[in-house]
Amino acid sequence: MKNIYTNTNTFAITTPLYYVNDLPHIGSAYTTIAADTVARFQRLQGKSVLMITGTDEHGQKIQRTAQNKGRSPKEHCDSVVTGFESLWQQLNIQYDRFSRTTASNHEKIVKEFFRRVWDRGDIYLSQQQGWYCVSCEEFKEERELLEDKYCAIHTNQKVEWRDEQNYFFRLSRYQEQLQAFYQERPEFIQPESRRNEVLSFVNQGLQDFSISRVNVDWGFQLPIDPNHTIYVWFDALLGYVTALLDPDSEPTLENALSKWWPINLHLIGKDILRFHAVYWPAMLMSADLPMPGGVFGHGFLTKDGKKMGKSLGNTLDPFELIQKYGSDAVRYYFLKEIEFGVDGDFSETRFINVLNADLANDLGNLLNRTLKMAHKYFNGQIPNINGEEVEVTHPLKTIGISLGEEVSQAYTSLAFSKVCEAVLVLVRTCNKYIDETAPWSLYKQGQLEAVAEVLYSVLESVRLAAYLLSPIIPNISNAIYQQLGFSNDFNNKSVIYSSETFAKQISWGALPVNQILGKPQPVFQRLELTETVA
């Protein structure tokens, strides 16, 4: 997988602006965990990072949902937004901007953008006929529907026939430009399976799409026709731009685009790929704006091998999962066990087995028993061995000297499972190395220098592992670093990193000698399978 970032000192990443028809689900959590992990990794490298998340709050579906609950649309949106903010806090998500499409500054950005595209001649009034899915907020072609006119995505919902006047965006005008763009920037859509899907769709011929609705009050009025409200996607996608505004800046496109545009990476679920990889670039071309760095569409999640849904009674509540097992456990499982970009499954039994094996046994016990020996044999200090003095052929150093670069490349290509596996190779080699060298026997034989090299090498390898995993499991990495005698806090966003610090920290041998070690304590408690999380 290719690097989809632009090479600058700033880095901007977005999650989707989540639809507020209901409280956040595990799929929303999955995308946001991944985005937060990327943002943390970029910060470690010394980049100035802006992570954007938020909510898409307009449209007929929201209006109907609010009515069914006896609330105004704004009251409904506010209550759901609180749920998103709460979940992101519990998941230890360090976003920088929370973009709401009901914000007044967003309305000004949307209308200015609309005017720019209107002046380009890319918007016109016409009749729209077709099958419309309220949940998708999208007109569907007949070939896309299931039997009896059910939506292929929202399989429990029939589409509705619409025959109304709408304003349209001339997407068809940009077919050749888009095809040329995809050829010029093959890395723009990732992974390759998503790119192929988009190319197939575009090559079949693009049709203009509706950007307004009549008889829908919940939305921004068109600047040119107050009888129409702006269609949700033409509104929502611009929430990424609004989020770039500094809080005290006047809401203009020029101000919004001045520092952080183009956004480096849009992280999305594959169900909204077309909007981000086709509609969005065409809109930006019309407005004569630079393209983002890339769009990555990840897969869907299942539970115990089955699609999740309320009707099936097998939904997975992210709030309950975090409350039961903690944020690091949830973050680790979904990024380690599921190859990012393909569909993945959650099984609670598998969840517990993986966490116990990797974090409690392999990593946690390794640190615990090595620290106990350091306290016993070296008065609770890191042995007086310099990492540079350890032979390059040393089994741990051999892995460690190239691990930082390997893991960095995996993070950059969003291969989170490869990050975890690569680090675990070092951790498991450490456990094997201790068993084979038996430092307790060496100590009894009076071979203190040999014991010092064993313990230093393992402690340094654990430090390196914790550093490299800190974007994924920041709390556990903090606990490890504190027990190694450091005062680092990987959750402190105010810390300014540098590329020089990063280069040093991912190099094997950075552990300072004679540093006072903390008291050995479990960094991850073993999990027990109890009641299944609903």
Side-chain angles (χ1 to χ4, degrees), residues 61-85:
K61 185 177 181 180
I62 302 303
Q63 190 171 318
R64 288 183 180 180
T65 302
Q67 286 171 349
N68 291 338
K69 295 185 176 182
R71 299 173 176 171
S72 72
K74 186 63 165 62
E75 287 171 338
H76 167 76
C77 293
D78 289 345
S79 66
V80 176
V81 165
T82 300
F84 275 94
E85 291 173 334

Side-chain angles (χ1 to χ4, degrees), residues 356-428:
N356 284 342
D358 294 359
L359 301 185
N361 296 347
D362 289 344
L363 182 58
N365 284 349
L366 173 65
L367 174 64
N368 198 266
R369 65 173 175 161
T370 310
L371 279 178
K372 285 179 178 176
M373 285 188 280
H375 276 272
K376 184 175 181 180
Y377 304 148
F378 295 97
N379 299 315
Q381 291 179 274
I382 293 170
N384 190 16
I385 294 284
N386 191 309
E388 292 182 2
E389 298 170 3
V390 179
E391 293 291 334
V392 176
T393 55
H394 189 285
L396 302 187
K397 188 171 183 177
T398 299
I399 298 171
I401 55 178
S402 61
L403 184 62
E405 185 57 36
E406 179 185 354
V407 166
S408 294
Q409 290 177 2
Y411 271 122
T412 300
S413 58
L414 310 188
F416 306 114
S417 56
K418 287 184 180 178
V419 168
C420 298
E421 284 297 344
V423 172
L424 281 172
V425 168
L426 177 60
V427 170
R428 289 166 183 155

